[in-house]
Amino acid sequence: MQVCIDHVSKKFKKQQVLKDINMKIENNEIFGLIGPSGAGKTTLIRLVIGAIEADNGTIQIGDIQIPSLDALKIIGYMPQNEALYEDLSGYDNLMFFGSMYGMKKAELKKRLQGVLELVELWDASRKKVSTYSGGMKKRLSLAAALIAEPSLLILDEPTVGIDPLLRRKIWEQFRQLKSLGKTIIITTHVMDEAEMCDRVALINNGGIIACDGLDTLLSRTKNHLIEDLFIESEEINP
Amino acid sequence: MKTLNIAKRIIRQIINDKRSLALILIAPVFIFTLIYLLLGNSDYKANIAESGLQPQIIEYVENQGITVDTLAVNEGKEQVKDSKIDAFLYNDGNGIRLVFRTYDAVKTGLIQKSIANAMKELSTKSSVQVEYIYGESSGNLFENIGYVMLGIIAFFIIFIIAGVSFVKERTNQTMERLMMTPVRRWQVMLGYTLGFGFFAMLQSIILLAYAIWVLHMTVSGSAVMAGIIMVLLAMSAVCIGSFFSIFSNSEFQMMQFIPIVVIPQIFFSGLISLDTLPYHLGLLSKIMPVYYACSALKNVMIIGGGLSDIWPDLLALFAFILLFSVLNILTLKKYRKI
Ligand SMILES: Nc1ncnc2c1ncn2[C@@H]1O[C@H](COP(=O)(O)OP(=O)(O)OP(=O)(O)O)[C@@H](O)[C@H]1O
Ligand SMILES: [Mg+2]
């Protein structure tokens, strides 16, 4: 699924959070959004999915103009905070989100086990979410984004609080999803995750300062550090 | 289908949350019992007279702490009229008649109940005909305002539960997440209303059954009709509760709506006679769902009216549900323009 972000700006009250963003995410790539805290990553993602409305500009997913109910059918979204039903079991949470995509019960049950095993929650799936640890909630939230086999995955910091081993397993899954033709947009703070993206966009102070393969970007810097890219942009745009 | 899945989720969430469940199902029974105890009984020592009754009945009534004299029929009626005795009980050949001067919540209830008990205990077939020298009334205070309490309790508890759970969904952002799935706004609202409606129904059934079979509250009309009124009122509470949750950012702020939304409705529910209020304040009742529900409940439970008498009230309740549902569907636009 191709995502076209065209001259998009967003203000919250008086604060200009995003200014004139232009970006194209290609079909079937893993696209990373990196940038310091408060840069506007989450805001951009919420604009793409249609949770908030852009002040200017347009966003298209495939040939669907956002916001659109049709686009939501093919998107799996994982928000930055867990956003799960604490009084339900992990299993019931996934059953619920799956049914909101119109999945049938039998189909859902089949799919559930696979997804729960992927995030290593199968054994805990019958427990109430309120008894889960922070990392477990994060994993369940990821599972909820994957449940309907969406062709576009939009994940806001999906691996924060997940241990390195499981993180590696999840990234293997991302690559496998890519091989199945899915597109993944991900935000991250972690350097080695940025490396695993096909392309990354560096976002700072509400603007895209660079957008390319990470290797290409790093080769422009002296020390091959992501930080340098941000520091350079500060020097150009203080 | 999605609507039903949302309703099912609400039901499951509440079942898993034992406190909310208890608030919905047990608290009303508790409150209602308390009201019954407060209004239904009294230590008052009543003082009556009789003429031509079986000695067993007299003895039974006296054992319940009521003083019973024996007087001629004319004398007895005269004394009731002059307030020398609280009631006069006599046998006019066709059955037993019980004469009061006027309706008094406590005294009438007390005397009527002990005589009814006596008749039941001694399995006397004949019924007691109640007469008032001045005015007409029936039941005790509890029976006369019990229907108001049924309405208020049904509204209040569902209003709180629905409002708070909506606030929770907004603060932990499950609402935004739900709106980022391909579900329609009306499906979300309808699902919520049905989910809470299920508990509204359970609550109404439990409360009515308890009132009728345990507390022996009399329902002149159809109990099913009373149940329907209560469910409709509770459904309007769901919609109104969800609507006001928009204006609160925390569960505590939701509570702050109690004095604004709930308490005024209690005053306008029929506890206080509305046509005597100054400055046409009574007109305010027209914007309050509890008022319509209580006037319908009164009609069914006290006067014994049926659908033909209460349809305007039911229509008003439907209108509230519809109005606030539409408002809620519109406010969901905050999460998604489409
Ligand atoms: N709903 C909102 N109302 C007002 N301001 C907001 C809102 N959401 C975000 N902002 C502001 O927009 C800016 C960007 O926030 P955003 O959440 O997009 O950052 P981020 O890049 O995702 O940061 P982090 O890495 O910490 O998640 C912040 O300054 C924040 O205060
Ligand atoms: Mg963020």
Side-chain angles (χ1 to χ4, degrees):
Chain A
M1 244 341 106
Q2 200 182 46
V3 180
C4 283
I5 300 168
D6 193 23
H7 294 288
V8 164
S9 334
K10 178 71 190 173
K11 249 187 200 159
F12 281 121
K13 306 220 169 70
K14 291 226 165 87
Q15 183 194 5
Q16 188 78 42
V17 178
L18 291 174
K19 13 181 201 246
D20 201 33
I21 304 280
N22 289 292
M23 209 161 72
K24 199 170 199 173
I25 294 152
E26 298 299 337
N27 187 26
N28 197 18
E29 73 174 340
I30 301 183
F31 189 89
L33 277 173
I34 47 181
S37 181
K41 304 182 293 294
T42 299
T43 307
L44 184 55
I45 271 185
R46 290 175 74 218
L47 282 166
V48 168
I49 193 170
I52 46 176
E53 206 180 14
D55 302 332
N56 290 307
T58 57
I59 296 169
Q60 277 195 321
I61 296 180
D63 42 17
I64 309 169
Q65 181 97 19
I66 299 301
S68 145
L69 209 60
D70 286 331
L72 292 173
K73 287 178 189 155
I74 53 160
I75 299 179
Y77 170 56
M78 173 179 174
Q80 186 167 357
N81 66 343
E82 283 73 34
L84 298 164
Y85 301 105
E86 300 261 333
D87 288 326
L88 296 184
S89 67
Y91 190 92
D92 287 338
N93 263 279
L94 294 189
M95 282 298 270
F96 174 70
F97 282 115
S99 71
M100 289 301 104
Y101 286 88
M103 292 174 82
K104 296 278 165 294
K105 212 168 181 173
E107 180 193 3
L108 244 172
K109 278 191 175 151
K110 243 187 272 162
R111 173 114 184 101
L112 259 172
Q113 181 159 8
V115 174
L116 279 166
E117 275 169 358
L118 168 74
V119 296
E120 296 181 358
L121 279 176
W122 178 247
D123 294 332
S125 65
R126 297 290 178 172
K127 288 207 291 181
K128 265 211 243 176
V129 170
S130 54
T131 66
Y132 282 17
S133 72
M136 288 165 88
K137 286 182 191 168
K138 201 84 196 178
R139 275 139 61 195
L140 184 64
S141 180
L142 177 60
L146 296 173
I147 189 77
E149 301 188 78
S151 45
L152 173 61
L153 269 168
I154 301 184
L155 311 172
D156 201 349
E157 307 199 5
T159 56
V160 171
I162 294 183
D163 62 87
L165 227 75
L166 183 56
R167 174 183 294 177
R168 187 179 299 168
K169 211 180 126 206
I170 287 170
W171 267 93
E172 271 163 28
Q173 180 70 20
F174 289 164
R175 271 192 296 265
Q176 205 202 325
L177 287 169
K178 178 184 148 131
S179 74
L180 292 172
K182 320 266 182 200
T183 308
I184 304 176
I185 304 175
I186 222 168
T187 71
T188 179
H189 288 293
V190 185
M191 184 58 199
D192 61 334
E193 288 193 343
E195 270 166 7
M196 287 187 279
C197 297
D198 296 319
R199 286 194 307 146
V200 295
L202 304 189
I203 173 167
N204 198 10
N205 288 328
I208 305 281
I209 53 179
C211 180
D212 213 331
L214 189 66
D215 293 338
T216 323
L217 291 177
L218 289 180
S219 64
R220 289 188 215 148
T221 63
K222 276 185 280 212
N223 307 320
H224 286 257
L225 287 174
I226 287 191
E227 292 86 322
D228 290 348
L229 289 166
F230 286 104
I231 293 164
E232 279 167 26
S233 84
E234 298 270 313
E235 281 161 1
I236 303 164
N237 258 328
Chain B
M1 220 30 236
K2 290 182 188 173
T3 305
L4 286 185
N5 278 311
I6 292 173
K8 249 163 52 188
R9 190 202 89 212
I10 301 284
I11 293 171
R12 194 166 279 153
Q13 271 178 300
I14 292 184
I15 290 176
N16 285 352
D17 177 12
K18 299 287 177 278
R19 288 178 82 99
S20 299
L21 195 63
L23 184 58
I24 294 176
L25 301 184
I26 300 172
V29 170
F30 170 73
I31 301 173
F32 209 58
T33 310
L34 205 63
I35 295 167
Y36 169 76
L37 293 176
L38 288 175
L39 302 180
N41 285 320
S42 149
D43 278 341
Y44 179 74
K45 294 267 178 285
N47 169 18
I48 67 172
E50 61 84 35
S51 168
L53 253 77
Q54 290 161 267
Q56 298 101 304
I57 296 181
I58 299 168
E59 192 181 336
Y60 189 93
V61 172
E62 281 185 320
N63 283 343
Q64 295 190 336
I66 296 174
T67 320
V68 186
D69 284 334
T70 303
L71 292 170
V73 175
N74 282 346
E75 177 73 1
K77 283 186 177 169
E78 206 51 43
Q79 293 214 1
V80 171
K81 207 171 179 177
D82 298 341
S83 294
K84 292 200 178 114
I85 52 175
D86 293 319
F88 182 59
L89 194 61
Y90 70 103
N91 196 329
D92 72 349
N94 299 321
I96 298 172
R97 290 183 167 272
L98 179 58
V99 186
F100 291 102
R101 178 171 189 270
T102 172
Y103 175 74
D104 176 292
V106 176
K107 294 179 191 172
T108 311
L110 191 82
I111 294 165
Q112 235 179 323
K113 206 153 92 193
S114 62
I115 289 167
N117 283 344
M119 310 293 275
K120 208 158 68 187
E121 196 72 12
L122 305 167
S123 41
T124 312
K125 284 282 169 296
S126 56
S127 64
V128 177
Q129 195 76 42
V130 180
E131 271 172 29
Y132 295 93
I133 295 174
Y134 303 108
E136 236 349 272
S137 187
S138 60
N140 58 12
L141 184 58
F142 173 70
E143 300 232 311
N144 277 292
I145 66 160
Y147 71 90
V148 173
M149 289 301 156
L150 284 178
I152 292 171
I153 293 171
F155 183 87
F156 182 62
I157 290 177
I158 297 288
F159 173 83
I160 291 296
I161 297 268
V164 164
S165 85
F166 252 89
V167 174
K168 233 157 102 185
E169 290 233 8
R170 288 194 310 119
T171 50
N172 69 16
Q173 295 177 28
T174 44
M175 187 54 95
E176 173 164 323
R177 185 167 201 168
L178 174 58
M179 293 308 291
M180 290 302 110
T181 66
V183 64
R184 291 178 187 280
R185 282 183 277 129
W186 66 263
Q187 290 174 321
V188 173
M189 271 334 293
L190 190 61
Y192 270 92
T193 314
L194 289 180
F196 287 111
F198 171 77
F199 288 101
M201 209 159 74
L202 264 189
Q203 187 189 59
S204 307
I205 292 172
I206 291 178
L207 199 51
L208 269 176
Y210 182 77
I212 293 170
W213 282 306
V214 181
L215 304 183
H216 302 296
M217 191 168 169
T218 40
V219 178
S220 317
S222 131
V224 174
M225 188 59 83
I228 291 172
I229 299 166
M230 284 175 69
V231 171
L232 281 179
L233 177 63
M235 298 278 233
S236 77
V238 175
C239 302
I240 295 172
S242 340
F243 179 74
F244 279 95
S245 75
I246 298 158
F247 306 103
S248 15
N249 291 317
S250 68
E251 289 155 48
F252 177 67
Q253 285 186 0
M254 191 65 215
M255 298 299 159
Q256 293 170 338
F257 280 114
I258 293 174
I260 298 166
V261 179
V262 180
I263 294 184
Q265 298 211 64
I266 297 179
F267 297 143
F268 285 86
S269 60
L271 280 181
I272 299 166
S273 163
L274 293 177
D275 35 12
T276 57
L277 290 184
Y279 312 119
H280 301 291
L281 268 180
L283 286 176
L284 273 178
S285 64
K286 301 282 181 230
I287 57 163
M288 300 184 178
V290 173
Y291 163 78
Y292 293 100
C294 284
S295 78
L297 280 173
K298 180 178 185 176
N299 221 318
V300 169
M301 299 185 70
I302 309 271
I303 303 169
L307 189 60
S308 55
D309 304 297
I310 60 166
W311 68 266
D313 295 317
L314 294 189
L315 210 63
L317 287 176
F318 270 119
F320 276 108
I321 294 172
L322 202 66
L323 171 70
F324 280 93
S325 295
V326 168
L327 286 176
N328 286 330
I329 292 170
L330 289 177
T331 53
L332 280 184
K333 276 198 172 183
K334 202 166 119 187
Y335 296 94
R336 201 177 69 193
K337 284 281 159 326
I338 32 114

